[in-house]
Each structure stands twice: as C-alpha cells, then as structure tokens.
Amino acid sequence: MSKASKTADIHLAQEPKADALLGRSPLAALVGMLLDQQVPMEKAFAGPYVIAERLQADDLDAHDIAAYDPEQFAELMKEKPAVHRYPGSMAGRVQKLCQYLVDEYDGDAEAVWRDASSGKELLARLKALPGYGDQKAQIFLALLGKQYGVTPTGWREAAGVYGEKGAFRSAADITGPETLAKVRAYKQEMKAAAKAEK
C-alpha cells in the first residue's frame, strides 16, 4: 500500500460528502481538478460526487465512465443542476481522461503518481493527461504534495510557485473556508493586475 492510499482530509468542495469522496478517490480528485475552470472551485470539486451519485455508484470508475455512451454521459452532466457551466464539452473531457487512464494505467488513477520517482517525472505524467495543461498539472502536483502526502523528490520545485509553503494561490492551498477566502482574494488580485496591464 502506498502512502497515498490513506484517506486525505480534503475541503475543496466545502461539502462533507463530496470532500470525503475526493479524500478517498484518486479518480475523483483528478476529475475535480479537470472540472476546475470557468466555474467556482467548490462547484468543480463537488462535480465528481454529483457524477457518482447520478451513476448510482459510491465512487467513480474509469472503465465505466470511458465505456459510457457519450450522449448519455453528456445528458447526465447536463441534468439540473448541471455539473459544470459547459456540461457537454466537460462530459467529453471527463470521458477522454478516463479512457486515457484505462489505456495507460488499466483504469487505476492512483498509478499516475504511485511509483513516480521524482517531482519532474510526476509532472510529466500529469501533463500527459488529457485536459491537463502546464498550470493544471503543477497545481495538481502541489495538491498531491500538500494534502495527499505524495511527495516524490523535488515535488515542490516541479510544482513551481504552487508548491511554495505558506502560499494561497490555488486549490492546493485550500484546507477550509478561511484558506478558500485567501485563495479567492489572491485570484482577484491577479485578475485586477492583469486588467491593469492591458
């Protein structure tokens, strides 16, 4: 059993059942991070729990989701309240991610990081995931290191600014309502600074 097999105490969805799933399910964590764009962070990370509920399952299964009829899976994501602001395109992304995990890791999401020998190797594996760009991969790497106990050599360096101790930049730094507020304030400052530069 690897270090990451234990349940992590996660507070990203700010909803106990959704957070419990994120804490025990590597696939739920990967899907939550995938959904984390153009919607509030809590909604994104609550998404895996909503999907599992609609699939009448207690966890997500990469094989099941990859094999699901794409139109039906999109409908499941669109059901009110929709899982995401763009439920149709996100349904496709979730299925692509699951198909990749089936093809490359036999559907075992935790295998993405279980035996990674370095932060650099883990970052490369995360960046290879469909829907994971550089920033998303670095944030997820920081999340694994800070909250899931996945700390291969050099993980902080590989995660870049998101790996810094005491930072409040991303999902990796959220441990409850107070830290969520700090991360939100940081993101608003960044947006304002970007606007001012234009």
Side-chain angles (χ1 to χ4, degrees), residues 51 54-55 68 71-79 83:
I51 294 168
R54 290 178 185 176
L55 290 170
Y68 216 85
E71 281 179 26
Q72 286 181 337
F73 192 68
E75 285 308 311
L76 179 134
M77 296 272 283
K78 286 175 189 171
E79 252 177 63
V83 173

Side-chain angles (χ1 to χ4, degrees), residues 29-112:
L30 279 174
V31 170
M33 189 77 230
L34 180 73
L35 295 172
D36 185 21
Q37 58 191 66
Q38 297 175 308
V39 290
M41 211 175 309
E42 310 91 296
K43 182 169 178 66
F45 282 99
Y49 179 74
V50 177
I51 294 168
E53 267 201 318
R54 290 178 185 176
L55 290 170
Q56 297 175 329
D58 61 359
D59 193 359
L60 300 182
D61 181 297
H63 290 275
D64 290 350
I65 293 173
Y68 216 85
D69 176 87
E71 281 179 26
Q72 286 181 337
F73 192 68
E75 285 308 311
L76 179 134
M77 296 272 283
K78 286 175 189 171
E79 252 177 63
K80 301 236 179 302
V83 173
H84 194 275
R85 186 174 167 191
Y86 302 109
S89 64
M90 278 300 173
R93 287 184 178 197
V94 170
Q95 284 195 292
K96 256 191 202 142
L97 173 64
C98 289
Q99 187 60 59
Y100 180 86
L101 292 170
V102 167
D103 294 343
E104 299 296 322
Y105 297 100
D106 195 27
D108 178 5
E110 194 182 345
V112 175

Side-chain angles (χ1 to χ4, degrees), residues 135-179:
Q135 186 183 35
K136 202 177 278 287
Q138 283 192 310
I139 292 171
F140 194 77
L141 175 52
L143 178 64
L144 286 172
K146 290 178 177 182
Q147 299 198 42
Y148 287 88
V150 178
T151 54
T153 309
W155 71 272
R156 282 191 192 274
E157 293 76 8
V161 294
Y162 302 106
E164 287 173 11
K165 265 187 189 157
F168 297 100
R169 284 195 169 90
S170 72
D173 306 305
I174 294 171
T175 53
E178 284 174 27
T179 45

